[in-house]
């Protein structure tokens, strides 16, 4: 698990950034499930089932960005991001083990403009295109266009 980021500023108005990341993790837990009869005294135990659940995930990500100060009050930014996650879930009960593996890919492109209206007020709008594709049994693929605007007031 780790990340690496860099920024390059060739001029006072232009800046580029890049980032790489990798996150790996796993989770497991043991369980015991006691089966009791559906009729009769509830304290009678028929059988006990024990097992182990495990899940692991490895996520690799990459991002590129650029910012341009068009004027003293207007900034323009653009970015690209890619994330690939590989997920493995397994369930072991007794001598039987089942496993489910899937891959989750997310691609994002963004474009935004901000305007410093006054010393205390800043306005901005962003457009984002997001596309997700999944292989395997769980999850769903989609594509979305997202637009948002904001206003910020800062007391100085």
């Amino acid at each position: 698990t780790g990340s690496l980021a860099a920024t390059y500023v060739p001029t006072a108005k232009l800046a580029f950034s890049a980032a790489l990341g990798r996150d790996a993790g796993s989770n497991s837990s043991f369980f015991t499930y006691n089966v009791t009869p559906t009729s009769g005294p509830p304290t009678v135990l028929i059988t006990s089932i024990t097992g182990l659940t495990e899940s692991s995930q490895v996520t690799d990500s990459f991002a590129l960005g650029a910012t341009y100060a068009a004027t003293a009050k207007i900034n323009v930014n653009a970015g690209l991001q890619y994330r690939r996650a590989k997920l493995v879930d397994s369930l072991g009960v007794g001598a039987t083990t089942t496993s489910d593996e899937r891959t989750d890919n997310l691609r994002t492109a963004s474009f935004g403009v901000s305007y410093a209206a006054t010393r205390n007020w800043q306005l901005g709008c962003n457009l984002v295109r997001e596309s997700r594709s999944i292989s395997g049994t769980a999850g769903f693929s989609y594509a979305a266009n997202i637009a948002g605007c904001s206003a910020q007031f800062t007391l100085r």
Side-chain angles (χ1 to χ4, degrees):
T1 300
S3 64
L4 177 66
T7 302
Y8 174 61
V9 184
T11 69
K13 292 185 167 226
L14 190 59
F16 298 101
S17 62
L20 291 169
R22 182 174 181 95
D23 185 22
S26 64
N27 188 21
S28 61
S29 62
F30 290 98
F31 66 89
T32 301
Y33 180 69
N34 295 321
V35 179
T36 57
T38 57
S39 64
T43 57
V44 176
L45 178 66
I46 292 180
T47 185
S48 180
I49 299 172
T50 60
L52 171 67
T53 62
E54 297 178 296
S55 62
S56 67
Q57 178 175 335
V58 176
T59 304
D60 297 314
S61 60
F62 177 72
L64 291 174
T67 303
Y68 176 66
T71 68
K73 293 188 171 210
I74 298 173
N75 282 327
V76 178
N77 62 69
L80 296 171
Q81 293 180 338
Y82 176 75
R83 183 200 74 202
R84 178 184 176 93
K86 184 174 182 179
L87 303 104
V88 178
D89 297 320
S90 62
L91 171 63
V93 178
T96 306
T97 301
T98 60
S99 183
D100 178 38
E101 185 174 315
R102 60 194 181 277
T103 303
D104 184 347
N105 296 311
L106 179 68
R107 294 169 192 81
T108 305
S110 62
F111 176 78
V113 176
S114 64
Y115 173 64
T118 66
R119 183 174 170 237
N120 296 20
W121 282 98
Q122 183 166 338
L123 307 171
C125 287
N126 289 307
L127 299 171
V128 178
R129 171 68 176 174
E130 191 170 271
S131 174
R132 181 181 182 196
S133 61
I134 295 182
S135 65
T137 58
F140 58 93
S141 300
Y142 68 87
N145 296 316
I146 305 162
C149 291
S150 64
Q152 178 180 333
F153 178 74
T154 306
L155 290 174
R156 296 180 194 242

